[in-house]
mmCIF file of all heavy atoms in Angstrom:
data_model
loop_
_atom_site.group_PDB
_atom_site.id
_atom_site.type_symbol
_atom_site.label_atom_id
_atom_site.label_comp_id
_atom_site.label_asym_id
_atom_site.label_seq_id
_atom_site.Cartn_x
_atom_site.Cartn_y
_atom_site.Cartn_z
ATOM 1 N N ALA D 1 0.835 -1.206 0.000
ATOM 2 C CA ALA D 1 0.000 0.000 0.000
ATOM 3 C C ALA D 1 0.869 1.254 0.000
ATOM 4 O O ALA D 1 0.576 2.233 -0.704
ATOM 5 C CB ALA D 1 -0.925 -0.008 1.216
ATOM 6 N N ARG D 2 1.964 1.227 0.766
ATOM 7 C CA ARG D 2 2.869 2.383 0.786
ATOM 8 C C ARG D 2 3.467 2.626 -0.584
ATOM 9 O O ARG D 2 3.479 3.764 -1.090
ATOM 10 C CB ARG D 2 3.977 2.159 1.818
ATOM 11 C CG ARG D 2 5.162 3.124 1.677
ATOM 12 C CD ARG D 2 6.205 2.867 2.750
ATOM 13 N NE ARG D 2 7.503 3.427 2.421
ATOM 14 C CZ ARG D 2 7.857 4.700 2.533
ATOM 15 N NH1 ARG D 2 6.985 5.570 2.999
ATOM 16 N NH2 ARG D 2 9.069 5.110 2.211
ATOM 17 N N TYR D 3 3.950 1.564 -1.208
ATOM 18 C CA TYR D 3 4.630 1.752 -2.481
ATOM 19 C C TYR D 3 3.665 1.954 -3.643
ATOM 20 O O TYR D 3 4.036 2.562 -4.653
ATOM 21 C CB TYR D 3 5.620 0.613 -2.708
ATOM 22 C CG TYR D 3 6.780 0.759 -1.760
ATOM 23 C CD1 TYR D 3 6.859 0.002 -0.596
ATOM 24 C CD2 TYR D 3 7.752 1.723 -1.972
ATOM 25 C CE1 TYR D 3 7.884 0.180 0.313
ATOM 26 C CE2 TYR D 3 8.784 1.914 -1.073
ATOM 27 C CZ TYR D 3 8.845 1.145 0.064
ATOM 28 O OH TYR D 3 9.859 1.356 0.962
ATOM 29 N N ALA D 4 2.447 1.500 -3.488
ATOM 30 C CA ALA D 4 1.429 1.840 -4.485
ATOM 31 C C ALA D 4 1.130 3.332 -4.432
ATOM 32 O O ALA D 4 0.961 3.991 -5.478
ATOM 33 C CB ALA D 4 0.163 1.021 -4.246
ATOM 34 N N ALA D 5 1.077 3.878 -3.227
ATOM 35 C CA ALA D 5 0.851 5.319 -3.093
ATOM 36 C C ALA D 5 2.025 6.108 -3.661
ATOM 37 O O ALA D 5 1.836 7.139 -4.332
ATOM 38 C CB ALA D 5 0.622 5.669 -1.625
ATOM 39 N N LEU D 6 3.252 5.637 -3.411
ATOM 40 C CA LEU D 6 4.421 6.314 -3.969
ATOM 41 C C LEU D 6 4.444 6.216 -5.487
ATOM 42 O O LEU D 6 4.844 7.167 -6.177
ATOM 43 C CB LEU D 6 5.701 5.719 -3.379
ATOM 44 C CG LEU D 6 5.941 5.959 -1.888
ATOM 45 C CD1 LEU D 6 7.238 5.284 -1.447
ATOM 46 C CD2 LEU D 6 5.982 7.447 -1.563
ATOM 47 N N GLN D 7 4.022 5.082 -6.026
ATOM 48 C CA GLN D 7 3.957 4.930 -7.480
ATOM 49 C C GLN D 7 3.007 5.970 -8.083
ATOM 50 O O GLN D 7 3.317 6.599 -9.098
ATOM 51 C CB GLN D 7 3.503 3.511 -7.836
ATOM 52 C CG GLN D 7 3.128 3.286 -9.293
ATOM 53 C CD GLN D 7 4.323 3.149 -10.231
ATOM 54 O OE1 GLN D 7 5.412 3.631 -9.932
ATOM 55 N NE2 GLN D 7 4.112 2.509 -11.355
ATOM 56 N N LYS D 8 1.878 6.172 -7.446
ATOM 57 C CA LYS D 8 0.923 7.170 -7.955
ATOM 58 C C LYS D 8 1.514 8.569 -7.892
ATOM 59 O O LYS D 8 1.236 9.411 -8.749
ATOM 60 C CB LYS D 8 -0.372 7.102 -7.150
ATOM 61 C CG LYS D 8 -1.199 5.857 -7.427
ATOM 62 C CD LYS D 8 -2.484 5.842 -6.604
ATOM 63 C CE LYS D 8 -3.294 4.596 -6.902
ATOM 64 N NZ LYS D 8 -4.541 4.534 -6.082
ATOM 65 N N ARG D 9 2.341 8.824 -6.881
ATOM 66 C CA ARG D 9 2.948 10.153 -6.743
ATOM 67 C C ARG D 9 4.047 10.397 -7.766
ATOM 68 O O ARG D 9 4.174 11.507 -8.301
ATOM 69 C CB ARG D 9 3.530 10.309 -5.340
ATOM 70 C CG ARG D 9 2.535 10.620 -4.251
ATOM 71 C CD ARG D 9 3.206 10.611 -2.888
ATOM 72 N NE ARG D 9 4.327 11.533 -2.798
ATOM 73 C CZ ARG D 9 5.210 11.544 -1.788
ATOM 74 N NH1 ARG D 9 5.091 10.652 -0.811
ATOM 75 N NH2 ARG D 9 6.196 12.414 -1.773
ATOM 76 N N PHE D 10 4.839 9.371 -8.051
ATOM 77 C CA PHE D 10 6.080 9.604 -8.784
ATOM 78 C C PHE D 10 6.063 9.162 -10.243
ATOM 79 O O PHE D 10 6.868 9.654 -11.036
ATOM 80 C CB PHE D 10 7.233 8.898 -8.069
ATOM 81 C CG PHE D 10 7.448 9.349 -6.654
ATOM 82 C CD1 PHE D 10 7.741 8.435 -5.654
ATOM 83 C CD2 PHE D 10 7.350 10.692 -6.318
ATOM 84 C CE1 PHE D 10 7.944 8.841 -4.350
ATOM 85 C CE2 PHE D 10 7.547 11.116 -5.008
ATOM 86 C CZ PHE D 10 7.841 10.192 -4.026
ATOM 87 N N ALA D 11 5.220 8.223 -10.601
ATOM 88 C CA ALA D 11 5.223 7.701 -11.974
ATOM 89 C C ALA D 11 4.504 8.668 -12.909
ATOM 90 O O ALA D 11 3.396 9.125 -12.617
ATOM 91 C CB ALA D 11 4.560 6.333 -12.020
ATOM 92 N N ARG D 12 5.135 8.964 -14.025
ATOM 93 C CA ARG D 12 4.519 9.821 -15.042
ATOM 94 C C ARG D 12 4.347 9.007 -16.328
ATOM 95 O O ARG D 12 5.332 8.660 -16.978
ATOM 96 C CB ARG D 12 5.402 11.039 -15.326
ATOM 97 C CG ARG D 12 5.387 12.095 -14.244
ATOM 98 C CD ARG D 12 6.397 13.195 -14.560
ATOM 99 N NE ARG D 12 6.226 14.355 -13.725
ATOM 100 C CZ ARG D 12 6.691 14.473 -12.485
ATOM 101 N NH1 ARG D 12 7.366 13.461 -11.963
ATOM 102 N NH2 ARG D 12 6.496 15.570 -11.797
ATOM 103 N N THR D 13 3.122 8.728 -16.649
ATOM 104 C CA THR D 13 2.812 8.049 -17.911
ATOM 105 C C THR D 13 2.092 9.049 -18.792
ATOM 106 O O THR D 13 0.977 9.478 -18.483
ATOM 107 C CB THR D 13 1.940 6.812 -17.673
ATOM 108 O OG1 THR D 13 2.623 5.928 -16.772
ATOM 109 C CG2 THR D 13 1.669 6.079 -18.974
ATOM 110 N N ILE D 14 2.744 9.413 -19.857
ATOM 111 C CA ILE D 14 2.225 10.475 -20.729
ATOM 112 C C ILE D 14 1.592 9.846 -21.958
ATOM 113 O O ILE D 14 2.242 9.077 -22.682
ATOM 114 C CB ILE D 14 3.353 11.449 -21.122
ATOM 115 C CG1 ILE D 14 3.934 12.105 -19.858
ATOM 116 C CG2 ILE D 14 2.849 12.515 -22.091
ATOM 117 C CD1 ILE D 14 5.141 12.971 -20.116
ATOM 118 N N ASP D 15 0.349 10.164 -22.195
ATOM 119 C CA ASP D 15 -0.391 9.610 -23.334
ATOM 120 C C ASP D 15 -0.103 10.424 -24.591
ATOM 121 O O ASP D 15 -0.990 11.017 -25.201
ATOM 122 C CB ASP D 15 -1.885 9.594 -23.031
ATOM 123 C CG ASP D 15 -2.693 8.853 -24.110
ATOM 124 O OD1 ASP D 15 -2.075 8.059 -24.846
ATOM 125 O OD2 ASP D 15 -3.914 9.087 -24.204
ATOM 126 N N ALA D 16 1.163 10.456 -24.937
ATOM 127 C CA ALA D 16 1.614 11.199 -26.118
ATOM 128 C C ALA D 16 3.063 10.817 -26.356
ATOM 129 O O ALA D 16 3.744 10.335 -25.447
ATOM 130 C CB ALA D 16 1.493 12.712 -25.895
ATOM 131 N N PRO D 17 3.565 11.007 -27.575
ATOM 132 C CA PRO D 17 5.002 10.807 -27.786
ATOM 133 C C PRO D 17 5.808 11.773 -26.915
ATOM 134 O O PRO D 17 5.391 12.907 -26.678
ATOM 135 C CB PRO D 17 5.190 11.119 -29.278
ATOM 136 C CG PRO D 17 3.837 10.957 -29.880
ATOM 137 C CD PRO D 17 2.862 11.380 -28.827
ATOM 138 N N VAL D 18 6.959 11.309 -26.422
ATOM 139 C CA VAL D 18 7.842 12.141 -25.610
ATOM 140 C C VAL D 18 9.158 12.293 -26.355
ATOM 141 O O VAL D 18 9.785 11.310 -26.752
ATOM 142 C CB VAL D 18 8.082 11.518 -24.227
ATOM 143 C CG1 VAL D 18 9.037 12.396 -23.413
ATOM 144 C CG2 VAL D 18 6.769 11.324 -23.476
ATOM 145 N N ARG D 19 9.556 13.526 -26.565
ATOM 146 C CA ARG D 19 10.798 13.838 -27.277
ATOM 147 C C ARG D 19 11.816 14.394 -26.280
ATOM 148 O O ARG D 19 11.578 15.418 -25.646
ATOM 149 C CB ARG D 19 10.536 14.860 -28.384
ATOM 150 C CG ARG D 19 11.782 15.254 -29.206
ATOM 151 C CD ARG D 19 11.403 16.248 -30.302
ATOM 152 N NE ARG D 19 10.534 15.612 -31.276
ATOM 153 C CZ ARG D 19 10.919 15.110 -32.450
ATOM 154 N NH1 ARG D 19 12.204 15.186 -32.789
ATOM 155 N NH2 ARG D 19 10.055 14.565 -33.271
ATOM 156 N N ILE D 20 12.932 13.673 -26.128
ATOM 157 C CA ILE D 20 14.020 14.144 -25.267
ATOM 158 C C ILE D 20 15.028 14.848 -26.164
ATOM 159 O O ILE D 20 15.746 14.215 -26.946
ATOM 160 C CB ILE D 20 14.687 12.980 -24.519
ATOM 161 C CG1 ILE D 20 13.645 12.120 -23.808
ATOM 162 C CG2 ILE D 20 15.695 13.509 -23.498
ATOM 163 C CD1 ILE D 20 14.207 10.854 -23.198
ATOM 164 N N ARG D 21 15.091 16.145 -26.063
ATOM 165 C CA ARG D 21 15.957 16.940 -26.924
ATOM 166 C C ARG D 21 17.368 17.058 -26.351
ATOM 167 O O ARG D 21 17.565 17.080 -25.141
ATOM 168 C CB ARG D 21 15.397 18.355 -27.075
ATOM 169 C CG ARG D 21 14.166 18.476 -27.961
ATOM 170 C CD ARG D 21 13.883 19.954 -28.198
ATOM 171 N NE ARG D 21 12.711 20.197 -29.015
ATOM 172 C CZ ARG D 21 12.700 20.156 -30.342
ATOM 173 N NH1 ARG D 21 13.814 19.848 -30.983
ATOM 174 N NH2 ARG D 21 11.593 20.412 -31.006
ATOM 175 N N ASN D 22 18.319 17.118 -27.273
ATOM 176 C CA ASN D 22 19.692 17.469 -26.928
ATOM 177 C C ASN D 22 20.312 16.481 -25.949
ATOM 178 O O ASN D 22 20.686 16.821 -24.828
ATOM 179 C CB ASN D 22 19.755 18.897 -26.371
ATOM 180 C CG ASN D 22 21.198 19.395 -26.255
ATOM 181 O OD1 ASN D 22 22.123 18.835 -26.858
ATOM 182 N ND2 ASN D 22 21.387 20.450 -25.484
ATOM 183 N N VAL D 23 20.412 15.237 -26.386
ATOM 184 C CA VAL D 23 21.102 14.214 -25.598
ATOM 185 C C VAL D 23 22.101 13.490 -26.491
ATOM 186 O O VAL D 23 21.931 13.416 -27.711
ATOM 187 C CB VAL D 23 20.118 13.190 -24.987
ATOM 188 C CG1 VAL D 23 19.328 13.817 -23.861
ATOM 189 C CG2 VAL D 23 19.193 12.597 -26.041
ATOM 190 N N ARG D 24 23.117 12.931 -25.865
ATOM 191 C CA ARG D 24 24.100 12.125 -26.571
ATOM 192 C C ARG D 24 23.917 10.680 -26.119
ATOM 193 O O ARG D 24 23.947 10.378 -24.921
ATOM 194 C CB ARG D 24 25.509 12.619 -26.265
ATOM 195 C CG ARG D 24 25.723 14.094 -26.635
ATOM 196 C CD ARG D 24 27.106 14.564 -26.247
ATOM 197 N NE ARG D 24 28.125 13.918 -27.074
ATOM 198 C CZ ARG D 24 29.428 13.939 -26.805
ATOM 199 N NH1 ARG D 24 29.863 14.532 -25.697
ATOM 200 N NH2 ARG D 24 30.295 13.348 -27.596
ATOM 201 N N VAL D 25 23.708 9.798 -27.067
ATOM 202 C CA VAL D 25 23.367 8.412 -26.781
ATOM 203 C C VAL D 25 24.629 7.560 -26.737
ATOM 204 O O VAL D 25 25.467 7.617 -27.650
ATOM 205 C CB VAL D 25 22.398 7.870 -27.846
ATOM 206 C CG1 VAL D 25 22.144 6.382 -27.645
ATOM 207 C CG2 VAL D 25 21.083 8.644 -27.811
ATOM 208 N N PHE D 26 24.750 6.739 -25.679
ATOM 209 C CA PHE D 26 25.863 5.792 -25.627
ATOM 210 C C PHE D 26 25.549 4.619 -26.550
ATOM 211 O O PHE D 26 24.514 3.965 -26.426
ATOM 212 C CB PHE D 26 26.088 5.272 -24.210
ATOM 213 C CG PHE D 26 27.123 4.172 -24.156
ATOM 214 C CD1 PHE D 26 28.462 4.454 -24.360
ATOM 215 C CD2 PHE D 26 26.752 2.850 -23.935
ATOM 216 C CE1 PHE D 26 29.425 3.446 -24.330
ATOM 217 C CE2 PHE D 26 27.698 1.836 -23.896
ATOM 218 C CZ PHE D 26 29.038 2.136 -24.100
ATOM 219 N N ASP D 27 26.485 4.361 -27.472
ATOM 220 C CA ASP D 27 26.340 3.271 -28.437
ATOM 221 C C ASP D 27 27.270 2.133 -28.022
ATOM 222 O O ASP D 27 28.486 2.265 -28.110
ATOM 223 C CB ASP D 27 26.712 3.774 -29.834
ATOM 224 C CG ASP D 27 26.733 2.648 -30.863
ATOM 225 O OD1 ASP D 27 26.073 1.610 -30.624
ATOM 226 O OD2 ASP D 27 27.402 2.806 -31.905
ATOM 227 N N PRO D 28 26.723 0.997 -27.550
ATOM 228 C CA PRO D 28 27.599 -0.090 -27.106
ATOM 229 C C PRO D 28 28.435 -0.689 -28.229
ATOM 230 O O PRO D 28 29.496 -1.262 -27.970
ATOM 231 C CB PRO D 28 26.625 -1.111 -26.516
ATOM 232 C CG PRO D 28 25.307 -0.789 -27.110
ATOM 233 C CD PRO D 28 25.303 0.677 -27.368
ATOM 234 N N ALA D 29 27.990 -0.561 -29.476
ATOM 235 C CA ALA D 29 28.760 -1.119 -30.592
ATOM 236 C C ALA D 29 30.079 -0.376 -30.764
ATOM 237 O O ALA D 29 31.148 -0.988 -30.903
ATOM 238 C CB ALA D 29 27.941 -1.070 -31.874
ATOM 239 N N SER D 30 30.022 0.951 -30.747
ATOM 240 C CA SER D 30 31.241 1.750 -30.925
ATOM 241 C C SER D 30 31.917 2.082 -29.603
ATOM 242 O O SER D 30 33.105 2.423 -29.575
ATOM 243 C CB SER D 30 30.903 3.057 -31.652
ATOM 244 O OG SER D 30 30.089 3.893 -30.834
ATOM 245 N N GLY D 31 31.150 2.003 -28.506
ATOM 246 C CA GLY D 31 31.690 2.385 -27.204
ATOM 247 C C GLY D 31 31.831 3.885 -27.038
ATOM 248 O O GLY D 31 32.562 4.341 -26.160
ATOM 249 N N LYS D 32 31.106 4.652 -27.853
ATOM 250 C CA LYS D 32 31.226 6.108 -27.816
ATOM 251 C C LYS D 32 29.865 6.764 -27.626
ATOM 252 O O LYS D 32 28.818 6.138 -27.808
ATOM 253 C CB LYS D 32 31.856 6.610 -29.121
ATOM 254 C CG LYS D 32 33.266 6.086 -29.369
ATOM 255 C CD LYS D 32 33.803 6.607 -30.706
ATOM 256 C CE LYS D 32 35.221 6.087 -30.952
ATOM 257 N NZ LYS D 32 35.762 6.551 -32.256
ATOM 258 N N LEU D 33 29.925 8.058 -27.269
ATOM 259 C CA LEU D 33 28.718 8.868 -27.262
ATOM 260 C C LEU D 33 28.540 9.492 -28.633
ATOM 261 O O LEU D 33 29.499 9.994 -29.239
ATOM 262 C CB LEU D 33 28.801 9.983 -26.214
ATOM 263 C CG LEU D 33 28.957 9.576 -24.752
ATOM 264 C CD1 LEU D 33 28.901 10.816 -23.863
ATOM 265 C CD2 LEU D 33 27.877 8.595 -24.343
#
């Protein structure tokens, strides 16, 4: 019950596409950002 309440407080589920701008992705194949 405690953690269900915390889940409701902290979890954000957005009913839309989410775009994270301006990030550098770690590529395990090359080992680089």
